[in-house]
Amino acid sequence: MKVVLSGGGTAGHINPALALADELRARGHEVCFAGTPTGVEARLVGQAGIEFVPFEASGFDRQKPWTLITSTAKIAASAAKAKRWMREAGIDAAVGFGGYVCIPVGLAAASLGIPLVMHEQNSVMGMANKFLGKRAAAVALTYEEAARDIDDASKVVVTGNPVRASVLRATRAQGREMLGIPDDATMLLVFGGSLGARHINQAVASLKEELLSREGLYVVHITGPKEFDATRESLSLSPAEAKRWIVMAYQDRMAETLAAADCAISRAGATSLAEISAIGLPALLVPFPFAAEDHQTTNAKAYVAGGAAFMHRDDELDDPSFAEKLLLLVDDAQVRARMHDAAAGFKTQDAAANLADVVCRVATAR
């Protein structure tokens, strides 16, 4: 079976696609990826050694209504190109993960009668997924709440959000050795996604004395490239403090870093939450307040309701309650153990296999 995966715009659309690609290839299927030629997907897919097929696609600016015309024309042209390519390539199934590039790919698949599966990573359906969900044979969800945007409930299946096998394989020992952290220490990981989060950086830095007063606590603080200098200056770590508070702009070995941690402060984006839940990492979630339809808050609430995390509003990080939640997470091993166990309820470790099962089912039912 040959399957085309499509998604773009952010790593949150691409990482679960790559996880599915790993699973499908392990089952002996052929996989290729359709994305925009200049998007981040072109680089990430190339690094994964997967065939990449480029198609132009772009959204429109609501402040500039005329861009709807140019966007529609570009998508229509790419849909025609994708249709020709799919017919020649012998595609058996298509899977979309969000982003505008999914639209021409999904439309081409539907017009050829090729089974289409859409996967939504967040608790609120994205525009492309909502549009293509009407044409899909199945709509796979991370959160059951997102089903409200799908008229035909028979299409819906909750699979979870796939994470790559590298995240599941990484061990605490590997991470601790890489970071130089003793095995018996408690490690707090602070990160705000790939770009960092200024307000989180500032709030955690303001608690430096309180955190470092805890003997055996190590902090690994990933600031984001733009916030590195300001955060390091704000912390003003002495050489002795810097041994226990490791500041870095970016970390490209997140699998090992996550595996090394005992708890984390994080945004509530789809990829971060999937990786956190996959390994059962206790977390204090601070949703990005300007995400579309505030979906990060909705994402985080699901984890809080499931007992797998605490949550705190970004605009209340200066409130003493933030420090209370963070210190409880750091100090209380029983709280962390309960969160770790609760994370298993999200079944993220099985998500790639679950989604692959859906793809194989719709392809064989063709």
Side-chain angles (χ1 to χ4, degrees):
M1 179 172 72
K2 186 169 184 177
V3 183
V4 59
L5 313 181
S6 184
T10 70
H13 293 317
I14 303 158
N15 287 331
L18 295 178
L20 175 62
D22 290 342
E23 178 67 22
L24 288 172
R25 291 198 292 183
R27 297 185 184 194
H29 302 299
E30 187 178 352
V31 177
C32 55
F33 195 105
T36 56
T38 58
V40 65
E41 60 268 26
R43 176 175 58 83
L44 294 177
V45 172
Q47 290 174 351
I50 297 170
E51 177 190 356
F52 184 80
V53 184
F55 295 101
E56 295 285 352
S58 63
F60 67 94
D61 186 343
R62 287 181 173 83
Q63 304 300 318
K64 301 175 181 177
W66 61 89
T67 61
L68 177 60
I69 299 172
T70 56
S71 173
T72 301
K74 186 177 292 186
I75 286 173
S78 289
K81 179 182 175 184
K83 186 175 179 179
R84 291 192 298 271
W85 169 75
M86 284 186 184
R87 188 184 289 117
E88 294 170 1
I91 299 298
D92 297 296
V95 189
F97 288 84
Y100 286 104
V101 72
C102 285
I103 297 177
V105 174
L107 289 175
S111 69
L112 291 171
I114 295 172
L116 172 65
V117 176
M118 298 305 299
H119 181 273
E120 177 55 60
Q121 300 87 54
N122 289 298
S123 52
V124 177
M125 292 285 282
M127 188 278 291
N129 285 358
K130 192 182 299 185
F131 173 73
L132 290 172
K134 300 172 184 177
R135 297 163 173 80
V139 179
L141 305 178
T142 301
Y143 304 96
E144 193 170 356
E145 300 94 305
R148 61 182 175 269
D149 292 319
I150 301 299
D151 294 332
D152 185 352
S154 68
K155 294 181 177 182
V156 173
V157 56
V158 178
T159 60
N161 192 13
V163 298
R164 299 202 70 182
S166 59
V167 173
L168 303 176
R169 285 196 304 262
T171 67
R172 176 185 174 91
Q174 289 171 338
R176 294 284 171 123
E177 181 179 3
M178 179 187 77
L179 295 165
I181 294 176
D183 185 61
D184 60 352
T186 299
M187 176 184 149
L188 168 66
L189 173 62
V190 182
F191 69 111
S194 59
L195 299 179
R198 178 177 300 175
H199 206 185
I200 292 177
N201 290 338
Q202 293 171 338
V204 175
S206 71
L207 298 173
K208 184 186 84 168
E209 301 301 328
E210 186 74 43
L211 288 168
L212 288 180
S213 71
R214 282 148 170 80
E215 187 176 351
L217 177 66
Y218 282 66
V219 180
V220 174
H221 192 159
I222 305 172
T223 65
K226 293 182 179 179
E227 302 298 324
F228 176 72
D229 290 336
T231 304
R232 189 170 58 174
E233 183 177 345
S234 175
L235 285 166
S236 188
L237 298 165
S238 69
E241 291 171 337
K243 292 180 180 179
R244 290 177 50 207
W245 195 301
I246 303 166
V247 186
M248 57 184 72
Y250 182 77
Q251 173 61 286
D252 59 4
R253 295 181 64 182
M254 279 300 293
E256 293 92 337
T257 305
L258 288 163
D262 293 294
C263 52
I265 300 175
S266 170
R267 288 299 195 195
T271 296
S272 295
L273 286 180
E275 293 175 346
I276 285 170
S277 66
I279 63 172
L281 181 61
L284 172 52
L285 304 174
V286 184
F288 178 58
F290 305 110
E293 298 186 55
D294 198 22
H295 70 258
Q296 285 205 10
T297 296
T298 308
N299 291 353
K301 285 180 177 178
Y303 281 80
V304 174
F310 293 142
M311 183 180 77
H312 201 87
R313 287 172 54 93
D314 185 273
D315 60 1
E316 296 176 353
L317 284 176
D318 299 326
D319 189 272
S321 59
F322 171 71
E324 292 171 7
K325 290 175 184 175
L326 175 56
L327 297 176
L328 176 61
L329 190 65
V330 166
D331 292 337
D332 197 324
Q334 290 186 338
V335 168
R336 298 198 301 271
R338 287 196 295 269
M339 287 184 176
H340 173 83
D341 292 342
F346 289 90
K347 300 181 179 178
T348 310
Q349 289 194 357
D350 303 323
N354 293 341
L355 184 54
D357 289 343
V358 173
V359 175
C360 293
R361 173 174 57 81
V362 301
T364 55
R366 182 181 179 185

